[in-house]
């Protein structure tokens, strides 16, 4: 999962230098396709970041509902209130749709996480924020459903590099929080790297439970359970 302030190495051609996810991703060399000029009187199509965000959010929703194999560009266009040609401009090849949308989704979530983390008063608050952002909010969470569909597919080297980078950046965020807490004396002396491995393994397991709809989380909060477990390990000796 990736942010503008701490981006992983990007597979060549997937993301542009300004962070935009464009139609050239994984495409053969050559000019990117351009949408046809709209006839006079047609409703104005959104442009720039507004259009990209609308297209990506519509794609996340359509993929979560229909599945990657069944979703059509026209489905995304209808949800976004845009033309199919405009959608094709943003996504390029359909066979890379999942990776394109996941990269945008993670950048969007990462940027919102960082804005909130910058306002947090302590490492403990940042830890709570991390858990809240990392775990799915509920069964059927669209962003997490996107991850499960992406991971179920076969990917080439560039795709695997991207997925590894998106995962690594979340581990780096957690390690940064732990290091800050250690430096301030607010966390117990733990090995940051080993703590992150344990924490992420637990969070991934809980995420699967939530998405599967395990009964144990119908009347309990997976977020509270995870945060309590992490806080116990990080609580300095002698503190209640």
């Amino acid at each position: 999962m990736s942010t503008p302030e701490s981006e992983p190495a990007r597979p060549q051609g997937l993301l542009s230098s300004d962070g935009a996810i464009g139609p050239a991703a994984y495409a053969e060399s050559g000019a990117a396709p351009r949408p046809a000029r709209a006839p006079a009187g047609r409703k104005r199509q959104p442009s720039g970041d507004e259009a990209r965000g609308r297209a990506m959010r519509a794609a996340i929703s359509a993929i979560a509902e229909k599945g990657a194999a069944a979703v059509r560009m026209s489905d995304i266009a209808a949800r976004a209130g845009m033309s199919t040609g405009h959608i094709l401009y943003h996504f390029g090849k359909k066979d890379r749709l999942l990776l394109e949308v996941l990269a945008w989704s993670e950048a969007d979530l990462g940027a919102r996480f960082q804005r909130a983390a910058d306002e947090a008063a302590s490492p403990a608050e940042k830890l709570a924020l991390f858990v809240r952002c990392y775990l799915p909010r509920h069964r059927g969470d669209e962003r997490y459903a996107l991850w499960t569909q992406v991971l179920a597919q076969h990917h080439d080297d560039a795709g695997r590099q991207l997925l590894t980078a998106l995962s690594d950046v979340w581990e780096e965020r957690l390690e940064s929080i732990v290091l800050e807490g250690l430096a301030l004396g607010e966390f117990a002396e733990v090995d940051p790297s080993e703590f992150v491995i344990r924490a992420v393994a637990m969070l991934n397991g809980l995420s699967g439970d939530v998405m599967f709809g395990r009964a144990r989380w119908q009347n309990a909060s997976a977020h509270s359970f995870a945060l309590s477990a992490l806080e116990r390990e990080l609580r300095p000796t002698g503190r209640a």
Side-chain angles (χ1 to χ4, degrees), residues 17-222:
S17 60
D18 63 358
I21 303 171
Y26 293 97
E28 297 177 357
S29 59
R34 298 288 180 181
R37 184 181 298 276
R42 177 177 293 182
K43 186 178 179 180
R44 183 188 71 84
Q45 296 287 343
S47 59
D49 291 341
E50 175 195 358
R52 184 164 58 253
R54 185 187 298 185
M56 295 295 173
R57 284 187 289 271
I60 291 172
S61 175
I63 292 168
E65 179 181 325
K66 296 175 175 289
V71 74
R72 300 172 300 176
M73 292 299 188
S74 58
D75 297 325
I76 299 172
R79 290 170 187 258
M82 299 161 66
S83 70
T84 301
H86 211 71
I87 292 296
L88 286 169
Y89 171 77
H90 287 287
F91 291 121
K93 293 184 177 181
K94 188 192 172 187
D95 63 352
R96 296 297 177 177
L97 175 64
L98 277 176
L99 288 173
E100 294 285 351
V101 177
L102 180 64
W104 180 89
S105 174
E106 289 299 293
D108 177 62
L109 178 60
R112 289 190 288 112
F113 166 83
Q114 191 58 49
R115 286 195 295 271
D118 288 343
E119 297 178 359
S122 68
E125 286 189 14
K126 293 179 183 180
L127 181 66
L129 174 66
F130 179 91
V131 171
R132 189 163 64 249
C133 288
Y134 195 98
L135 290 176
R137 295 164 296 172
H138 50 73
R139 182 181 182 184
D141 183 286
E142 290 183 344
R143 289 180 182 270
Y144 214 94
L146 181 60
W147 263 103
T148 59
Q149 293 196 52
V150 169
L151 293 176
Q153 288 194 330
H154 174 75
H155 299 284
D156 57 18
D157 288 343
R160 287 192 295 272
Q161 289 174 24
L162 172 67
L163 293 175
T164 298
L166 293 179
S167 297
D168 285 351
V169 76
W170 281 99
E171 296 188 10
E172 291 165 5
R173 289 187 183 111
L174 180 54
E175 184 167 354
S176 177
I177 293 170
V178 174
L179 288 171
E180 180 182 355
L182 289 172
L184 294 173
E186 296 184 14
F187 291 163
E189 290 295 331
V190 297
D191 181 292
S193 297
E194 292 184 0
F195 174 84
V196 167
I197 292 173
R198 291 192 299 274
V200 169
M202 178 189 68
L203 292 172
N204 287 340
L206 284 174
S207 295
D209 263 13
V210 172
M211 293 299 290
F212 181 68
R214 292 290 295 271
R216 64 170 62 114
W217 302 121
Q218 290 178 3
N219 298 309
S221 168

